[in-house]
Amino acid sequence: MNKMKILVVPFLQSILLIGSLEAHCPVYLTVSLTGKTLQDTLLEINWGPYCYGPPQWVGIYAKDPTTSNFQPDFRIDGIANRTGKLITPIKLGKLHFPGGWNRQDASDQPATQYPAGKCLPHFVASYNGTELLTVDCLKIQPNWMAQIKDVNRLPLKDIFLPGTHASGAVFGSSNKSNSILVRDYLVVQQFDVWSQLVFGIRYLDFSIGYKNMNTENEADNFWIANENMLITPLVGILRDVCLFVKRSGEMIVLDFSSFPIGFYKHPEIYSSLYRLLRQELGYEAYRRNVTKDDHCANRNIREILQQDRHILILFPTQELPYPASESTMLCPPWQRFSTSFMNISQTLDYMQLLFSKKPDSPVRDDGWIFTAVRSMEQTLNTQKLETAKKRAAVLNPKVNQWLKGPWGNNANVVAMDYFSNTNIVDLAIQVNAHKAFVMANKDYINLDIFNLC
Ligand SMILES: *[C@@H]1O[C@H](CO)[C@@H](O)[C@H](O)[C@H]1NC(C)=O
Ligand SMILES: *[C@@H]1O[C@H](CO)[C@@H](O)[C@H](O)[C@H]1NC(C)=O
Ligand SMILES: *[C@@H]1O[C@H](CO)[C@@H](O)[C@H](O)[C@H]1NC(C)=O
Ligand SMILES: *[C@@H]1O[C@H](CO)[C@@H](O)[C@H](O)[C@H]1NC(C)=O
Ligand SMILES: *[C@@H]1O[C@H](CO)[C@@H](O)[C@H](O)[C@H]1NC(C)=O
């Protein structure tokens, strides 16, 4: 029986993976970390990993090249390497989401559902002579969870959730982010939280700072922080998350991961934050069964949506005084692993330890978060202070590539600074679709094996 299983699973995999994944050389677009403004940021072409038959040439287009014979806006010839990345002169331009997915679009009409994502007007195609080999585009994925059959039955700990680190640390969101220090070193996302969610990010990480602003509204005192600086007010971001889940029906994990400013030895500030979360997210926050004492990672999306709620909040409940510490709307934190203080080779070793799920792995059978970042101090140690973008430009593509192998199947939450120079959302969707398929067909594989073969 076991032997049969080994034979059949790859067979099913290959059925599932027909399409662009099976292309000799996958070619895709990402957003580089080059621009002073988002609009001026240049697109980059990526190919691989494992290009066995590289295309003769690759073109970038502003329209779908399969619908007519357009000339490319930019063309590259002679890709030789099996994997690579190249910054193009094509700018991202002003972001406009189709189908009612801009934040300011009216909510009275339902937004368009996009089962396979929806292309923004940036396409990439690869060719052998005039023969079209692959087409892909820069795309939004506002409802990917709902579109993958059976993924809603997988426990959250078994789903690959693409995430961002310091999710609210975005440039230009307040006048606090005007200084060069903040802009170059503390801002770590180029897309705001709304856009991150539209692109398909489903885990958000928040560091919270408290500063008394002497206004009438206690909510004004809570800020998104990063590396011990206040960056932007919290409450607007929470409202964006609520608006997004209402419009999309998707499920989001919100992780209140650290409290670097103003909380130390102040339980009443934690309580005040709890009241703010109850006020802003109360209707949307999943209610856990406190007597079960689980971390909510064994729950699945279906159970959460059955409550007609869409947000799962992770919060260090032990910091709260009773009874808030027993609140049903807070799930205790998941295990966290970070590469903050590692160089690239240490990061690779660490990922091997975590993602290969060997017996000596510190990853338990629970929810866990892999944060792929390098801290500012880590680069200080190497004598040169690198900007947050420079750090992410080196680290992210490597982590992205390493997750494309078998390790991706063992991922739970993966959170990055500046996620846009990777295709982590597409990768997570592929992995989840595969896992959901295998789970749903497990009985079939076990019992009806002989009919299949
Ligand atoms: C491209 O065409 C050449 C010549 O026809 C062929 O040898 C090669 O295998 C083709 N490459 C791909 C990736 O299809
Ligand atoms: C291909 O790889 C070689 C050796 O690793 C490197 O020197 C070269 O720059 C790469 N070329 C491209 C286009 O990435
Ligand atoms: C932002 O600017 C306004 C007016 O210029 C000022 O009142 C406010 O205190 C500033 N906020 C922060 C957080 O610096
Ligand atoms: C909570 O979990 C306990 C223990 O498993 C169970 O007995 C109880 O019925 C559950 N309560 C609800 C509301 O599901
Ligand atoms: C990474 O750090 C380790 C430990 O400090 C060191 O031995 C190694 O040489 C470093 N590797 C690189 C590529 O800098």
Side-chain angles (χ1 to χ4, degrees), residues 24-268:
H24 285 299
C25 185
V27 179
Y28 58 95
L29 286 176
T30 52
V31 180
S32 74
L33 309 179
T34 49
K36 273 236 166 358
T37 65
L38 190 53
Q39 203 161 335
D40 287 335
T41 298
L42 303 175
L43 301 184
E44 48 192 15
I45 292 184
N46 307 264
W47 60 96
Y50 325 121
C51 277
Y52 294 109
Q56 271 171 7
W57 64 280
V58 172
I60 294 199
Y61 303 81
K63 287 182 188 158
D64 184 348
T66 58
T67 60
S68 186
N69 274 333
F70 304 110
Q71 285 306 304
D73 297 331
F74 179 70
R75 170 179 172 138
I76 313 173
D77 289 89
I79 288 176
N81 292 356
R82 284 167 53 156
T83 179
K85 197 178 197 51
L86 194 97
I87 295 181
T88 74
I90 309 288
K91 291 180 177 172
L92 176 64
K94 194 162 169 26
L95 256 195
H96 176 81
F97 297 135
W101 290 104
N102 298 300
R103 184 208 282 108
Q104 68 275 14
D105 289 343
S107 289
D108 50 357
Q109 291 196 57
T112 310
Q113 301 280 307
Y114 292 123
K118 171 71 180 174
C119 291
L120 298 177
H122 295 294
F123 294 82
V124 63
S126 65
Y127 298 85
N128 204 13
T130 54
E131 184 198 354
L132 181 64
L133 302 175
T134 65
V135 186
D136 201 354
C137 60
L138 195 68
K139 52 187 149 335
I140 57 170
Q141 299 276 11
N143 13 58
W144 67 261
M145 277 180 166
Q147 303 298 341
I148 302 178
K149 193 168 177 309
D150 298 316
V151 80
N152 63 356
R153 291 198 285 130
L154 282 171
L156 293 178
K157 67 184 179 190
D158 292 334
I159 300 182
F160 184 161
L161 290 171
T164 50
H165 163 254
S167 311
V170 180
F171 179 62
S173 41
S174 86
N175 42 1
K176 281 239 181 235
S177 49
N178 289 341
S179 82
I180 289 182
L181 173 76
V182 172
R183 193 193 63 200
D184 285 352
Y185 298 97
L186 303 180
V187 162
V188 296
Q189 300 297 338
Q190 56 188 166
F191 292 103
D192 61 18
V193 164
W194 173 270
S195 304
Q196 290 172 29
L197 297 173
V198 173
F199 277 113
I201 293 294
R202 293 293 175 266
Y203 163 95
L204 301 173
D205 159 75
F206 294 134
S207 278
I208 308 297
Y210 178 88
K211 185 179 179 207
N212 193 340
M213 305 301 286
N214 293 312
T215 65
E216 286 184 359
N217 197 347
E218 170 73 354
D220 295 342
N221 303 334
F222 291 99
W223 291 74
I224 295 291
N226 192 24
E227 307 249 16
N228 294 333
M229 289 272 291
L230 304 177
I231 313 280
T232 193
L234 172 64
V235 69
I237 289 178
L238 298 181
R239 288 178 187 166
D240 280 356
V241 175
C242 274
L243 183 63
F244 180 79
V245 297
K246 278 204 180 71
R247 205 174 290 178
S248 66
E250 296 277 280
M251 195 256 352
I252 314 281
V253 176
L254 292 193
D255 189 358
F256 291 83
S257 63
S258 65
F259 305 86
I261 305 162
F263 283 81
Y264 183 63
K265 292 201 168 161
H266 283 287
E268 79 283 4

Side-chain angles (χ1 to χ4, degrees), residues 288-293:
R288 75 181 163 119
N289 183 339
V290 176
T291 55
K292 264 191 184 150
D293 190 36

